[in-house]
Amino acid sequence: QVQVQESGGGLVQPGGSLRLSCSPSGRTASNIATAWFRQAPGKEREFVAAIRWSGGHTAYADSVKGRFAISRDSAKNTAYLQMNSLLPEDTAVYYCSASRWGVILSALRDPASYLYWGQGTQVTVSS
């Protein structure tokens, strides 16, 4: 069984930065993908960013491209989401997810590609 642990959320002013961490624990394949999704109050969960651990291919939502960066440290079994130039509309609960096996590039944005999900971490952007 794989558990996904997130950390790093909090309150930040507009224009500020935060870094989220995600550590899938348990028996994970070396070619998994990790993704971040977010859900704001009254809205549906939406894709934010994803990375394939083997090869490092990434995908981003248009709304965060150029501001957010996803990376992974295989030695630490941790994925990171560096969020810069944060906007009030980035306020949401951020969920980390991990796949069971490899994910093809065209499916990185699909939540159905991910079997394991964390509990979520709150990110609030407000002055």
Side-chain angles (χ1 to χ4, degrees):
Q1 183 66 25
V2 174
Q3 293 185 331
V4 177
Q5 185 68 42
E6 306 130 326
S7 62
L11 172 64
V12 64
Q13 292 186 343
S17 298
L18 279 176
R19 188 177 78 161
L20 305 182
S21 299
C22 173
S23 298
S25 63
R27 300 184 66 179
T28 57
S30 61
N31 63 338
I32 65 169
T34 301
W36 290 93
F37 292 79
R38 67 186 181 186
Q39 188 167 19
K43 294 187 177 181
E44 294 185 353
R45 190 173 297 190
E46 64 175 359
F47 170 77
V48 177
I51 186 168
R52 297 203 311 190
W53 286 51
S54 177
H57 298 95
T58 59
Y60 294 94
D62 289 342
S63 59
V64 306
K65 216 173 276 186
R67 299 188 298 121
F68 291 11
I70 190 169
S71 61
R72 87 277 187 240
D73 185 332
S74 298
K76 296 182 178 180
N77 203 40
T78 300
Y80 303 97
L81 184 66
Q82 179 66 44
M83 304 186 295
N84 300 324
S85 302
L86 282 161
L87 304 169
E89 48 264 46
D90 293 319
T91 295
V93 177
Y94 283 69
Y95 297 91
C96 182
S97 58
S99 66
R100 182 174 182 181
W101 307 114
V103 178
I104 59 175
L105 291 178
S106 61
L108 283 174
R109 294 175 172 81
D110 186 350
S113 298
Y114 304 93
L115 182 60
Y116 308 108
W117 292 78
Q119 294 298 307
T121 185
Q122 177 70 46
V123 172
T124 302
V125 184
S126 174
S127 55

XYZ file of all heavy atoms in Angstrom, residues 37-115:
618
model
N -2.957 18.444 -7.962
C -4.250 18.981 -8.335
C -4.666 19.952 -7.238
O -4.136 19.919 -6.139
C -5.289 17.859 -8.469
C -5.044 16.938 -9.633
C -4.094 15.930 -9.560
C -5.763 17.071 -10.813
C -3.854 15.080 -10.633
C -5.534 16.228 -11.894
C -4.578 15.238 -11.797
N -5.600 20.818 -7.535
C -6.080 21.737 -6.504
C -7.587 21.912 -6.624
O -8.167 21.736 -7.698
C -5.373 23.091 -6.615
C -5.704 23.883 -7.874
C -4.847 25.142 -7.944
N -5.153 25.950 -9.125
C -4.473 27.027 -9.485
N -3.427 27.448 -8.759
N -4.835 27.700 -10.564
N -8.186 22.272 -5.499
C -9.619 22.498 -5.472
C -9.922 23.717 -4.623
O -9.620 23.740 -3.424
C -10.370 21.282 -4.933
C -11.876 21.397 -5.057
C -12.581 20.076 -4.814
O -12.029 19.160 -4.224
N -13.819 19.980 -5.286
N -10.490 24.722 -5.256
C -10.899 25.935 -4.560
C -12.353 25.785 -4.112
O -13.100 24.986 -4.686
C -10.754 27.137 -5.487
N -12.761 26.534 -3.111
C -14.144 26.446 -2.620
C -15.157 26.676 -3.739
O -15.042 27.638 -4.502
C -14.218 27.556 -1.574
C -12.821 27.729 -1.116
C -11.967 27.479 -2.312
N -16.100 25.755 -3.870
C -17.145 25.885 -4.864
C -16.734 25.530 -6.281
O -17.515 25.702 -7.218
N -15.505 25.041 -6.439
C -15.018 24.693 -7.777
C -14.619 23.225 -7.830
O -14.393 22.593 -6.809
C -13.825 25.575 -8.160
C -14.178 27.047 -8.324
C -13.004 27.831 -8.865
C -13.373 29.285 -9.102
N -12.214 30.059 -9.658
N -14.495 22.726 -9.048
C -14.067 21.352 -9.224
C -12.551 21.251 -9.080
O -11.827 22.226 -9.265
C -14.493 20.842 -10.605
C -16.001 20.732 -10.781
C -16.372 20.104 -12.103
O -15.481 19.878 -12.938
O -17.568 19.835 -12.302
N -12.102 20.057 -8.756
C -10.666 19.811 -8.667
C -10.061 19.972 -10.050
O -10.609 19.485 -11.044
C -10.413 18.411 -8.127
C -8.968 18.143 -7.769
C -8.814 16.795 -7.083
N -9.540 16.742 -5.811
C -9.388 15.738 -4.938
N -8.565 14.752 -5.205
N -10.084 15.745 -3.824
N -8.906 20.657 -10.109
C -8.268 20.891 -11.397
C -6.792 20.509 -11.356
O -6.136 20.571 -10.317
C -8.392 22.368 -11.815
C -7.684 23.347 -10.905
C -7.734 24.772 -11.432
O -8.302 25.015 -12.510
O -7.182 25.664 -10.753
N -6.286 20.140 -12.506
C -4.883 19.763 -12.660
C -3.993 20.988 -12.520
O -4.333 22.073 -13.000
C -4.684 19.121 -14.033
C -3.255 18.915 -14.406
C -2.511 17.877 -13.879
C -2.632 19.786 -15.296
C -1.189 17.701 -14.212
C -1.313 19.621 -15.653
C -0.589 18.569 -15.116
N -2.838 20.809 -11.868
C -1.867 21.885 -11.718
C -0.559 21.549 -12.441
O -0.119 22.285 -13.320
C -1.573 22.169 -10.231
C -0.493 23.241 -10.092
C -2.843 22.575 -9.494
N 0.068 20.446 -12.061
C 1.350 20.073 -12.649
C 1.605 18.592 -12.394
O 1.066 18.021 -11.451
C 2.482 20.911 -12.055
N 2.450 18.011 -13.257
C 2.794 16.597 -13.109
C 4.216 16.362 -13.590
O 4.742 17.123 -14.419
C 1.821 15.719 -13.895
N 4.821 15.289 -13.095
C 6.159 14.920 -13.509
C 6.276 13.415 -13.551
O 5.745 12.721 -12.683
C 7.228 15.537 -12.576
C 8.635 15.274 -13.109
C 7.076 15.008 -11.136
C 9.705 16.103 -12.400
N 6.950 12.901 -14.564
C 7.281 11.478 -14.640
C 8.658 11.300 -14.020
O 9.608 11.968 -14.426
C 7.273 10.992 -16.090
C 5.917 11.085 -16.747
C 5.741 10.149 -17.923
N 6.822 10.184 -18.895
C 6.750 9.573 -20.073
N 5.664 8.881 -20.404
N 7.766 9.623 -20.917
N 8.756 10.386 -13.027
C 10.006 10.246 -12.294
C 11.109 9.684 -13.179
O 12.278 10.006 -12.986
C 9.779 9.355 -11.068
C 9.022 10.064 -10.010
C 7.842 10.736 -10.154
C 9.377 10.203 -8.631
N 7.452 11.287 -8.959
C 8.368 10.967 -7.994
C 10.447 9.750 -7.860
C 8.404 11.282 -6.644
C 10.482 10.070 -6.505
C 9.465 10.832 -5.916
N 10.743 8.865 -14.139
C 11.731 8.347 -15.070
C 11.753 9.257 -16.288
O 10.790 9.360 -17.028
C 11.362 6.925 -15.492
O 12.281 6.430 -16.448
N 12.817 9.996 -16.480
C 12.920 10.901 -17.612
C 12.619 12.346 -17.266
O 13.081 13.263 -17.943
N 11.832 12.574 -16.214
C 11.572 13.932 -15.750
C 10.630 14.748 -16.614
O 10.575 15.971 -16.478
N 9.861 14.134 -17.495
C 8.916 14.885 -18.315
C 7.879 15.553 -17.423
O 7.406 14.968 -16.466
C 8.231 13.958 -19.316
C 9.174 13.326 -20.276
N 9.700 12.064 -20.055
C 9.713 13.759 -21.437
C 10.511 11.765 -21.053
N 10.540 12.768 -21.905
N 7.536 16.797 -17.775
C 6.597 17.567 -16.963
C 5.416 18.072 -17.789
O 5.478 18.133 -19.021
C 7.288 18.772 -16.316
O 7.838 19.607 -17.360
C 8.404 18.341 -15.385
N 4.355 18.426 -17.078
C 3.183 19.035 -17.707
C 2.622 20.060 -16.726
O 2.690 19.857 -15.508
C 2.128 17.985 -18.035
N 2.095 21.153 -17.261
C 1.553 22.228 -16.425
C 0.222 22.709 -16.956
O -0.027 22.705 -18.168
C 2.513 23.431 -16.407
C 3.839 23.166 -15.751
C 4.942 22.766 -16.492
C 3.986 23.323 -14.371
C 6.158 22.513 -15.884
C 5.203 23.077 -13.755
C 6.281 22.672 -14.521
O 7.485 22.434 -13.904
N -0.622 23.163 -16.047
C -1.832 23.864 -16.443
C -1.422 25.233 -16.984
O -0.439 25.827 -16.513
C -2.767 24.024 -15.248
N -2.166 25.731 -17.948
C -1.836 27.036 -18.531
C -1.818 28.134 -17.481
O -1.025 29.077 -17.559
C -2.839 27.379 -19.627
C -2.665 26.525 -20.868
O -1.588 25.911 -21.024
O -3.613 26.475 -21.676
N -2.670 28.010 -16.478
C -2.803 29.054 -15.461
C -1.576 29.185 -14.560
O -1.412 30.201 -13.891
C -4.044 28.792 -14.608
O -3.957 27.527 -13.972
N -0.718 28.170 -14.530
C 0.451 28.224 -13.646
C 1.764 28.194 -14.413
O 2.838 28.339 -13.811
C 0.433 27.075 -12.616
C -0.882 27.064 -11.848
C 0.705 25.734 -13.269
N 1.697 28.024 -15.727
C 2.905 27.935 -16.538
C 3.735 29.207 -16.379
O 3.213 30.320 -16.473
C 2.510 27.707 -17.998
C 3.429 26.816 -18.780
C 2.864 26.508 -20.156
C 1.907 25.363 -20.118
N 1.460 24.971 -21.480
N 5.027 29.034 -16.140
C 5.904 30.174 -15.959
C 5.996 30.660 -14.522
O 6.874 31.445 -14.184
N 5.065 30.201 -13.663
C 5.090 30.604 -12.255
C 5.408 29.432 -11.331
O 6.046 29.618 -10.293
C 3.729 31.199 -11.854
C 3.338 32.429 -12.638
C 2.080 33.085 -12.064
N 0.918 32.212 -12.122
C 0.216 31.826 -11.040
N 0.566 32.238 -9.833
N -0.843 31.047 -11.186
N 4.928 28.249 -11.681
C 5.139 27.052 -10.865
C 6.153 26.140 -11.547
O 6.247 26.115 -12.788
C 3.836 26.286 -10.697
C 2.781 26.961 -9.847
C 2.899 28.284 -9.448
C 1.667 26.246 -9.438
C 1.933 28.896 -8.671
C 0.680 26.835 -8.662
C 0.813 28.164 -8.283
N 6.874 25.394 -10.737
C 7.827 24.417 -11.270
C 7.750 23.143 -10.443
O 7.851 23.197 -9.211
C 9.240 24.969 -11.254
N 7.578 22.011 -11.118
C 7.536 20.723 -10.431
C 8.866 20.012 -10.665
O 9.458 20.103 -11.750
C 6.343 19.869 -10.927
C 6.159 18.644 -10.047
C 6.481 19.503 -12.392
C 4.855 17.898 -10.307
N 9.347 19.334 -9.627
C 10.608 18.607 -9.725
C 10.530 17.396 -8.818
O 9.581 17.243 -8.049
C 11.778 19.498 -9.331
O 11.636 19.930 -7.977
N 11.544 16.525 -8.929
C 11.573 15.383 -8.024
C 13.000 15.064 -7.649
O 13.929 15.312 -8.423
C 10.868 14.158 -8.622
C 11.755 13.244 -9.513
C 11.857 13.757 -10.880
N 12.533 12.843 -11.784
C 13.633 13.181 -12.414
N 14.213 14.337 -12.176
N 14.173 12.363 -13.292
N 13.158 14.523 -6.443
C 14.443 14.068 -5.942
C 14.267 12.584 -5.654
O 13.703 12.210 -4.623
C 14.828 14.855 -4.683
C 16.215 14.496 -4.187
O 16.673 13.359 -4.415
O 16.827 15.352 -3.535
N 14.743 11.763 -6.567
C 14.529 10.322 -6.428
C 15.209 9.768 -5.181
O 14.698 8.853 -4.541
C 15.041 9.604 -7.668
O 14.334 10.024 -8.819
N 16.371 10.316 -4.822
C 17.099 9.834 -3.649
C 16.296 10.046 -2.371
O 16.370 9.259 -1.436
C 18.448 10.537 -3.556
N 15.519 11.130 -2.341
C 14.686 11.437 -1.175
C 13.258 10.958 -1.363
O 12.429 11.136 -0.467
C 14.691 12.936 -0.903
C 16.040 13.496 -0.519
C 15.963 14.993 -0.210
C 17.315 15.534 0.211
N 17.270 16.987 0.515
N 12.969 10.378 -2.528
C 11.615 9.914 -2.833
C 10.584 11.024 -2.610
O 9.523 10.803 -2.012
C 11.253 8.695 -1.981
C 10.150 7.860 -2.602
O 10.133 7.667 -3.809
N 9.234 7.384 -1.783
N 10.916 12.200 -3.077
C 10.074 13.370 -2.832
C 9.922 14.186 -4.115
O 10.890 14.362 -4.852
C 10.677 14.255 -1.737
O 10.778 13.501 -0.527
C 9.802 15.485 -1.482
N 8.707 14.644 -4.339
C 8.438 15.577 -5.428
C 8.130 16.940 -4.826
O 7.608 17.033 -3.711
C 7.272 15.093 -6.276
N 8.458 17.982 -5.570
C 8.273 19.342 -5.078
C 7.467 20.165 -6.081
O 7.562 19.967 -7.290
C 9.622 20.026 -4.873
C 10.548 19.294 -3.927
C 11.539 18.442 -4.415
C 10.424 19.447 -2.547
C 12.376 17.769 -3.560
C 11.266 18.771 -1.680
C 12.248 17.933 -2.188
O 13.071 17.260 -1.336
N 6.697 21.092 -5.551
C 6.024 22.072 -6.390
C 6.427 23.453 -5.888
O 5.980 23.878 -4.815
C 4.504 21.917 -6.330
C 3.724 22.860 -7.264
C 4.001 22.513 -8.725
C 2.226 22.803 -6.970
N 7.307 24.098 -6.622
C 7.728 25.451 -6.282
C 6.746 26.432 -6.901
O 6.557 26.437 -8.128
C 9.139 25.724 -6.823
C 9.647 27.119 -6.546
C 9.854 27.401 -5.073
O 10.391 26.575 -4.344
N 9.421 28.575 -4.623
N 6.101 27.226 -6.058
C 5.076 28.151 -6.522
C 5.557 29.579 -6.296
O 5.776 29.987 -5.151
C 3.770 27.902 -5.773
C 3.274 26.468 -5.875
S 1.654 26.216 -5.126
C 2.023 26.536 -3.409
N 5.750 30.307 -7.374
C 6.201 31.695 -7.320
C 5.126 32.630 -7.861
O 4.197 32.183 -8.538
C 7.491 31.859 -8.123
C 8.620 31.002 -7.628
O 8.772 30.785 -6.416
N 9.429 30.486 -8.544
N 5.275 33.902 -7.594
C 4.331 34.922 -8.086
C 2.886 34.505 -7.826
O 2.032 34.571 -8.714
C 4.552 35.151 -9.588
O 5.883 35.554 -9.849
N 2.635 34.089 -6.600
C 1.315 33.566 -6.258
C 0.239 34.638 -6.360
O 0.479 35.816 -6.027
C 1.337 32.956 -4.858
C 1.981 31.562 -4.810
C 2.406 31.211 -3.396
C 1.018 30.513 -5.356
N -0.928 34.208 -6.797
C -2.079 35.087 -6.977
C -3.208 34.657 -6.049
O -3.273 33.477 -5.670
C -2.564 35.003 -8.428
C -1.535 35.320 -9.519
C -2.087 34.927 -10.883
C -1.160 36.782 -9.474
N -4.111 35.568 -5.705
C -5.243 35.155 -4.862
C -6.024 33.981 -5.463
O -6.523 33.140 -4.706
C -6.099 36.423 -4.798
C -5.112 37.542 -4.952
C -4.091 37.024 -5.919
N -6.087 33.907 -6.777
C -6.821 32.803 -7.409
C -6.093 31.462 -7.311
O -6.630 30.441 -7.719
C -7.132 33.115 -8.870
C -5.962 33.640 -9.672
C -5.961 35.164 -9.749
O -6.159 35.831 -8.695
O -5.723 35.696 -10.855
N -4.881 31.450 -6.767
C -4.174 30.192 -6.499
C -4.619 29.589 -5.169
O -4.220 28.470 -4.843
C -2.666 30.411 -6.467
C -2.104 30.799 -7.829
O -2.529 30.214 -8.838
O -1.234 31.698 -7.861
N -5.432 30.314 -4.425
C -5.922 29.808 -3.142
C -6.762 28.563 -3.359
O -7.719 28.566 -4.133
C -6.763 30.888 -2.433
O -5.916 31.992 -2.107
C -7.376 30.335 -1.153
N -6.382 27.491 -2.685
C -7.065 26.204 -2.850
C -6.440 25.183 -1.910
O -5.394 25.440 -1.311
C -6.946 25.709 -4.289
N -7.089 24.038 -1.815
C -6.456 22.875 -1.200
C -5.703 22.152 -2.316
O -6.279 21.847 -3.363
C -7.482 21.946 -0.545
C -6.783 20.716 0.017
C -8.242 22.680 0.557
N -4.427 21.923 -2.075
C -3.578 21.265 -3.067
C -3.406 19.801 -2.684
O -3.026 19.490 -1.548
C -2.228 21.963 -3.150
C -2.296 23.253 -3.915
C -2.965 24.356 -3.394
C -1.712 23.383 -5.182
C -3.058 25.543 -4.104
C -1.789 24.575 -5.893
C -2.473 25.648 -5.352
O -2.553 26.830 -6.055
N -3.663 18.938 -3.651
C -3.570 17.496 -3.427
C -2.438 16.918 -4.266
O -2.356 17.172 -5.478
C -4.869 16.803 -3.830
C -6.068 17.214 -3.013
C -6.885 18.274 -3.408
C -6.397 16.526 -1.847
C -7.984 18.655 -2.665
C -7.497 16.895 -1.090
C -8.280 17.963 -1.503
O -9.370 18.337 -0.755
N -1.610 16.121 -3.625
C -0.588 15.388 -4.355
C -1.128 13.996 -4.663
O -1.836 13.402 -3.846
C 0.693 15.287 -3.536
S 2.010 14.424 -4.421
N -0.753 13.490 -5.814
C -1.187 12.158 -6.214
C -0.032 11.427 -6.865
O 0.896 12.053 -7.406
C -2.357 12.258 -7.197
O -1.983 13.009 -8.338
N -0.079 10.108 -6.793
C 0.964 9.278 -7.386
C 0.324 8.129 -8.139
O -0.690 7.572 -7.714
C 1.897 8.746 -6.302
N 0.940 7.797 -9.266
C 0.426 6.692 -10.062
C 0.975 5.378 -9.534
O 1.946 5.344 -8.768
C 0.817 6.870 -11.527
O 2.231 6.774 -11.667
N 0.363 4.285 -9.950
C 0.874 2.972 -9.564
C 1.976 2.534 -10.523
O 2.969 1.938 -10.120
C -0.254 1.945 -9.564
C 0.197 0.567 -9.116
C -0.978 -0.376 -9.003
N -0.548 -1.689 -8.518
C -1.357 -2.714 -8.347
N -2.656 -2.593 -8.626
N -0.900 -3.859 -7.906
N 1.799 2.847 -11.785
C 2.769 2.493 -12.811
C 3.100 3.739 -13.633
O 2.708 4.838 -13.276
C 2.200 1.405 -13.725
C 1.695 0.196 -13.026
C 0.398 -0.249 -12.951
C 2.457 -0.749 -12.269
N 0.307 -1.390 -12.211
C 1.554 -1.729 -11.778
C 3.823 -0.874 -11.958
C 1.982 -2.815 -11.004
C 4.234 -1.956 -11.198
C 3.327 -2.908 -10.723
N 3.812 3.564 -14.726
C 4.128 4.665 -15.605
C 2.876 5.268 -16.229
O 1.854 4.602 -16.377
N 2.976 6.544 -16.596
C 1.862 7.265 -17.212
C 2.345 7.861 -18.526
O 3.399 8.496 -18.564
C 1.362 8.391 -16.281
C 0.234 9.182 -16.942
C 0.898 7.822 -14.941
N 1.582 7.658 -19.587
C 1.986 8.238 -20.870
C 1.778 9.752 -20.809
O 0.967 10.261 -20.032
C 1.177 7.629 -22.043
C -0.335 7.870 -21.852
C 1.465 6.142 -22.167
C -1.170 7.408 -23.031
N 2.543 10.464 -21.624
C 2.533 11.928 -21.569
C 1.130 12.507 -21.727
O 0.760 13.461 -21.033
C 3.467 12.497 -22.636
C 4.970 12.263 -22.409
C 5.767 12.830 -23.576
C 5.431 12.877 -21.100
N 0.355 11.947 -22.624
C -0.977 12.497 -22.901
C -1.948 12.295 -21.749
O -3.022 12.898 -21.736
C -1.547 11.874 -24.180
O -1.666 10.482 -24.028
N -1.571 11.467 -20.784
C -2.467 11.177 -19.659
C -2.016 11.822 -18.361
O -2.642 11.614 -17.315
C -2.585 9.667 -19.467
N -0.957 12.608 -18.401
C -0.434 13.206 -17.176
C -1.453 14.135 -16.511
O -1.446 14.284 -15.296
C 0.850 13.971 -17.452
C 2.118 13.139 -17.632
C 3.289 14.032 -18.046
C 2.462 12.368 -16.356
N -2.336 14.763 -17.279
C -3.302 15.710 -16.717
C -4.584 15.051 -16.236
O -5.450 15.719 -15.664
C -3.652 16.778 -17.761
C -2.498 17.683 -18.143
C -2.893 18.623 -19.267
N -1.874 19.630 -19.541
C -0.796 19.422 -20.262
N -0.595 18.245 -20.794
N 0.083 20.404 -20.465
N -4.708 13.760 -16.470
C -5.944 13.049 -16.164
C -5.900 12.509 -14.731
O -5.039 11.684 -14.411
C -6.126 11.898 -17.150
C -7.458 11.207 -17.000
O -8.192 11.475 -16.016
O -7.791 10.393 -17.862
N -6.814 12.907 -13.864
C -6.775 12.398 -12.483
C -6.958 10.881 -12.407
O -6.525 10.259 -11.437
C -7.931 13.136 -11.792
C -8.788 13.655 -12.890
C -7.899 13.886 -14.057
N -7.565 10.296 -13.434
C -7.753 8.844 -13.436
C -6.428 8.089 -13.571
O -6.375 6.882 -13.334
C -8.689 8.436 -14.574
N -5.354 8.800 -13.937
C -4.037 8.158 -14.053
C -3.393 7.899 -12.702
O -2.402 7.200 -12.627
C -3.111 9.044 -14.887
O -3.601 9.216 -16.201
N -3.955 8.486 -11.648
C -3.320 8.451 -10.334
C -4.164 7.651 -9.355
O -5.348 7.928 -9.168
C -3.080 9.869 -9.827
C -2.270 10.661 -10.830
C -2.890 11.449 -11.793
C -0.881 10.553 -10.863
C -2.156 12.125 -12.754
C -0.138 11.224 -11.810
C -0.775 12.011 -12.756
O -0.048 12.665 -13.709
N -3.521 6.681 -8.713
C -4.231 5.783 -7.811
C -4.167 6.237 -6.363
O -5.095 6.035 -5.588
C -3.638 4.372 -7.932
C -4.278 3.278 -7.085
C -5.755 3.110 -7.445
C -3.530 1.967 -7.251
